[in-house]
């Protein structure tokens, strides 16, 4: 019996399932909710551009729609993420699910371009098949809070993996439903697309229901309470805490000896004092940035620039436009397109499983770079093949390796920022990525209208490769986990967790050296 169970035990440990178990029920629910949401996005990624083409909208209008929808995601996502820690992360996630329901219902009923655009801008519709909007930044912040540096990459890897499975199932079901309703029952394509948007809306209801089962442990207040009651600062720590957290930026904690300590609260008290409207939004953005420490901003400015470059590329050739390009060039059946995209998503899901173990072996940055380069190269040469099967192979290479950098990227961001800064940093990251992706569909739409669709793929591939190279050059020697007590990582890229008693020595070393050191120099100094 032990011999039979040994492979399962090895898989359970090596591929990070034990990490999800340790994270608890909230992690399961968060991963399940995103899987359901990505099921709906998988439907959108296959039919959205085809739906507009069936309604005889021009290529320029299709590109404009996706651009303005992404711009709406920027505003909506940043606004909701700004107030998530104050209002409550679970409430914001529930509200986002409700907006998803409204958008799906609008697309299921209306055919007017401007009404659909309005519903997409103020609601939640996936214009690119990606997870933009308010969800992902908050969910990644929640998962980062529920995990430790040792388990975080594994949990985030499964978060990405299961989302890819959801997208794959959505695309496959969508393609099969279109084929069955069209051939067996004689439905018109527009009618089928409307019906599928009802499915999108129903998935939003399921997503909202799952949010009701999340517990208080998902909120930032749980982190504050943990600091307050299990890590009450000693006398020699109070001064530094008071310097790091001014009264205007946090809450005051009584330590029981007629003294008080200020704990950062990600700007919640400041947000409550700002007026409503645009002024409140920009003041909130300024407050948000001001509460992020200077060392964190130094790192994130470089990373945000690179991520913006990658997002511009993704915005130029998202999966809906890639499917549209393939349909224009080779005219395959919709079920074939659905099968291809489903297989692509399944490959992405399968490869994402290996992201966590690979990151433990070679490091977060190396995993991000060396798995993403082949995917970028596949985008670069995507227009070259003259046959459908070669084009499909390139699409499978692109999609199969495209997701392996997502979990390490989220783990990397969580590793270089303070715990109380994560929601803000991840929210800004999501906003900037979406904002950078805004211009992409419009550019591609204009190129498609002038029979230069292929240029978008070449440019996107070049941008993605520049992102990969820049990521390696700037961050391969970055030290991680310097802000998490009891779990500091030894050496560059952090591959081994050390115990609490080594914390002081490593913090002293970090303060006496530059923020990025090579593994050899660090071990030599130690």
């Amino acid at each position: 019996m032990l011999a039979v169970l040994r492979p399962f035990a090895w898989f359970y440990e090596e591929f990070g399932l034990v990490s999800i178990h340790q994270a608890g029920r909230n992690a399961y629910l968060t991963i399940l909710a995103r899987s359901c949401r990505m099921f709906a996005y998988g439907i959108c990624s296959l039919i959205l551009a085809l739906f507009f083409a069936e309604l005889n909208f021009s290529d320029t209008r299709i590109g404009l729609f996706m651009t303005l929808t992404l711009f709406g995601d920027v505003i909506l996502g940043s606004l909701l993420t700004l107030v998530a820690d104050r209002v409550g992360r679970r409430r914001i996630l529930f509200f986002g699910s409700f907006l998803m329901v409204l958008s799906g219902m609008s697309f299921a009923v209306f055919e007017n371009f401007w009404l659909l655009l309005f519903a997409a801008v103020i609601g939640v519709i996936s214009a690119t098949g990606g997870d933009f909007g308010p969800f992902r930044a908050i969910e990644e912040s929640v998962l980062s809070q529920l995990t430790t540096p040792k388990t975080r990459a594994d949990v985030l890897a499964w978060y990405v993996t299961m989302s890819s499975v959801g997208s794959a199932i959505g695309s496959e079901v969508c393609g099969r439903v279109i084929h069955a309703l069209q051939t067996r029952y004689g439905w018109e394509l527009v009618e089928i697309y409307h019906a599928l948007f009802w499915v999108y809306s129903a998935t939003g209801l399921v997503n909202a229901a799952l949010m009701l089962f999340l517990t208080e442990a998902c909120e930032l207040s749980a982190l504050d309470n943990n600091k307050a009651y299990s890590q009450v600062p000693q006398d020699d720590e109070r001064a530094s805490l008071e310097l790091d957290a001014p009264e205007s930026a946090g809450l005051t904690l009584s330590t029981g000896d007629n003294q008080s300590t200020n704990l950062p609260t990600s700007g919640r008290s400041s947000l409550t004092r700002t007026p409503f409207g645009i002024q409140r939004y920009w003041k909130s953005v300024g407050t948000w940035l001001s509460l992020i420490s200077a060392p964190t901003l130094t790192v994130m400015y470089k990373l945000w620039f690179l991520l913006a470059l990658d997002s511009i590329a993704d915005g130029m050739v998202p999966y809906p436009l890639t499917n549209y390009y393939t349909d224009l060039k080779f005219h395959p059946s919709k079920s074939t397109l659905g099968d291809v995209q489903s297989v692509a998503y399944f490959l992405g899901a399968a490869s994402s499983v290996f992201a966590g173990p690979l990151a433990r072996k070679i490091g977060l940055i190396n995993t991000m770079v060396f798995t993403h380069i082949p995917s970028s190269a596949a985008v670069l040469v995507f227009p070259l093949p003259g046959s459908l099967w070669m084009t499909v192979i390139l699409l499978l290479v692109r999609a199969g390796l495209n997701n392996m950098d997502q979990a390490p990227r989220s783990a990397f961001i969580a590793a270089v920022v303070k715990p109380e800064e994560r929601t803000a940093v991840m929210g800004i990251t999501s906003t900037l990525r979406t904002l950078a992706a805004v211009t992409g569909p419009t550019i591609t739409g204009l190129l498609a209208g002038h029979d230069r669709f292929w240029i978008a793929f070449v440019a996107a591939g070049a941008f993605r490769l520049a992102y990969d190279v820049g990521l390696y050059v700037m961050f391969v020697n970055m030290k991680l986990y310097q802000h998490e007590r009891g779990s500091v990582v030894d050496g560059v890229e952090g591959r081994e967790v050390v115990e609490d008693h080594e914390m002081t020595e490593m913090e002293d070393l970090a303060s006496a050296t530059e923020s990025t050191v090579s593994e050899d120099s660090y071990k030599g100094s130690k």
Side-chain angles (χ1 to χ4, degrees):
M1 180 62 70
L2 290 176
V4 172
L5 293 178
R6 189 174 292 115
F8 296 98
W10 173 84
F11 183 86
Y12 180 75
E13 293 283 344
E14 184 66 20
F15 287 90
L17 291 175
V18 63
S19 300
I20 301 179
H21 177 72
Q22 292 172 358
R25 186 184 75 177
N26 290 310
Y28 287 108
L29 290 173
T30 302
I31 292 173
L32 179 60
R34 192 185 187 213
S35 301
C36 291
R37 190 169 68 252
M38 295 306 293
F39 171 85
Y41 290 174
I43 294 174
C44 260
S45 66
L46 180 64
I47 69 171
L48 191 60
L50 299 176
F51 174 58
F52 288 147
E54 198 66 25
L55 295 177
N56 297 319
F57 296 156
S58 66
D59 294 340
T60 302
R61 274 199 169 188
I62 294 174
L64 178 64
F65 173 89
M66 293 190 174
T67 292
L68 293 179
T69 300
L70 287 172
F71 184 74
D73 289 338
V74 170
I75 302 300
L76 178 67
S78 57
L79 278 172
L80 294 181
T81 309
L82 273 172
V83 299
D85 285 341
R86 177 173 63 87
V87 175
R89 294 169 178 172
R90 292 172 295 172
R91 291 178 179 175
I92 295 300
L93 291 173
F94 181 85
F95 179 67
S97 301
F98 179 70
L99 292 178
M100 184 176 170
V101 174
L102 291 181
S103 295
M105 292 175 62
S106 300
F107 276 73
V109 174
F110 299 114
E111 295 182 0
N112 180 272
F113 176 82
W114 300 108
L115 286 176
L116 296 177
L117 179 61
F118 178 75
V121 169
I122 67 168
V124 176
I125 199 83
S126 179
T128 64
D131 194 6
F132 294 105
F135 295 105
R136 184 168 181 174
I138 299 174
E139 288 174 345
E140 288 179 345
S141 182
V142 168
L143 291 177
S144 296
Q145 180 171 309
L146 296 172
T147 54
T148 65
K150 187 175 181 179
T151 62
R152 186 170 300 134
D154 287 326
V155 172
L156 289 172
W158 280 103
Y159 173 75
V160 173
T161 297
M162 296 309 297
S163 70
S164 299
V165 171
S167 296
I169 296 174
S171 297
E172 178 66 18
V173 169
C174 180
R176 291 300 171 186
V177 167
I178 292 173
H179 180 73
L181 293 179
Q182 189 176 22
T183 59
R184 189 174 302 178
Y185 300 103
W187 285 33
E188 297 293 331
L189 280 175
V190 173
E191 295 176 323
I192 298 173
Y193 295 149
H194 281 310
L196 288 169
F197 281 116
W198 281 115
V199 177
Y200 182 95
S201 187
T203 308
L205 287 176
V206 175
N207 201 82
L210 290 173
M211 295 301 100
L212 299 176
F213 293 95
L214 295 176
T215 69
E216 184 68 26
C218 298
E219 306 292 352
L220 181 64
S221 58
L223 180 64
D224 291 339
N225 291 336
N226 182 58
K227 288 182 178 181
Y229 297 109
S230 64
Q231 293 185 7
V232 176
Q234 303 300 317
D235 292 338
D236 56 348
E237 295 177 323
R238 288 176 183 146
S240 63
L241 279 173
E242 290 169 359
L243 287 175
D244 291 338
E247 290 185 10
S248 62
L251 59 90
T252 301
L253 166 70
S254 173
T255 59
D257 54 357
N258 296 324
Q259 299 187 43
S260 62
T261 300
N262 294 301
L263 294 177
T265 60
S266 296
R268 288 175 289 172
S269 59
S270 296
L271 286 174
T272 59
R273 291 193 295 270
T274 53
F276 289 97
I278 300 298
Q279 184 181 5
R280 173 184 176 181
Y281 172 72
W282 289 113
K283 283 188 176 182
S284 299
V285 172
T287 302
W288 209 9
L289 284 170
S290 68
L291 291 175
I292 300 175
S293 61
T296 297
L297 288 175
T298 300
V299 175
M300 293 309 301
Y301 283 145
K302 295 183 290 185
L303 184 60
W304 284 334
F305 171 77
L306 294 175
L307 290 176
L309 196 64
D310 182 54
S311 296
I312 291 173
D314 289 341
M316 292 179 70
V317 288
Y319 286 127
L321 290 181
T322 301
N323 290 329
Y324 184 46
Y325 173 78
T326 305
D327 186 63
L328 288 176
K329 188 174 181 179
F330 300 107
H331 307 291
S333 67
K334 301 301 183 290
S335 60
T336 300
L337 277 178
D339 291 341
V340 170
Q341 184 161 298
S342 179
V343 172
Y345 279 133
F346 270 120
L347 286 177
S351 64
S352 298
V353 175
F354 296 92
L358 190 61
R360 292 198 300 271
K361 296 295 189 298
I362 68 174
L364 298 174
I365 294 297
N366 287 334
T367 302
M368 293 166 65
V369 172
F370 295 118
T371 60
H372 200 252
I373 285 178
S375 177
S376 301
V379 174
L380 181 70
V381 300
F382 188 78
L384 292 182
S387 60
L388 177 61
W389 69 271
M390 280 296 297
T391 301
V392 168
I393 289 176
L394 290 177
L395 178 60
L396 296 181
V397 172
R398 169 192 172 179
L401 297 174
N402 194 57
N403 293 339
M404 288 189 72
D405 71 319
Q406 293 185 21
R409 181 177 66 221
S410 300
F412 177 79
I413 293 174
V416 297
V417 305
K418 297 177 181 179
E420 62 270 19
E421 297 174 341
R422 284 178 186 147
T423 300
V425 169
M426 289 180 176
I428 293 173
T429 301
S430 178
T431 297
L432 290 178
R433 281 177 56 82
T434 309
L435 188 61
V438 160
T439 57
T442 297
I443 296 173
T444 303
L446 292 173
L447 291 172
H450 293 82
D451 297 326
R452 298 189 182 94
F453 208 151
W454 62 272
I455 298 178
F457 291 92
V458 175
F463 287 160
R464 285 165 60 103
L465 287 171
Y467 157 78
D468 296 329
V469 174
L471 197 65
Y472 185 83
V473 171
M474 292 184 184
F475 297 108
V476 69
N477 293 323
M478 177 69 64
K479 278 188 64 178
L480 309 180
Y481 308 109
Q482 299 183 71
H483 305 297
E484 299 187 69
R485 185 169 298 277
S487 54
V488 177
V489 175
D490 185 15
V492 177
E493 281 284 343
R495 287 183 278 274
E496 297 180 6
V497 178
V498 300
E499 301 299 330
D500 290 348
H501 65 273
E502 297 182 5
M503 180 74 178
T504 303
E505 178 185 353
M506 297 188 71
E507 285 183 333
D508 292 341
L509 177 62
S511 63
T513 58
E514 295 180 355
S515 60
T516 57
V517 295
S518 67
E519 185 171 9
D520 293 336
S521 65
Y522 169 69
K523 290 185 175 179
S525 64
K526 184 175 179 181

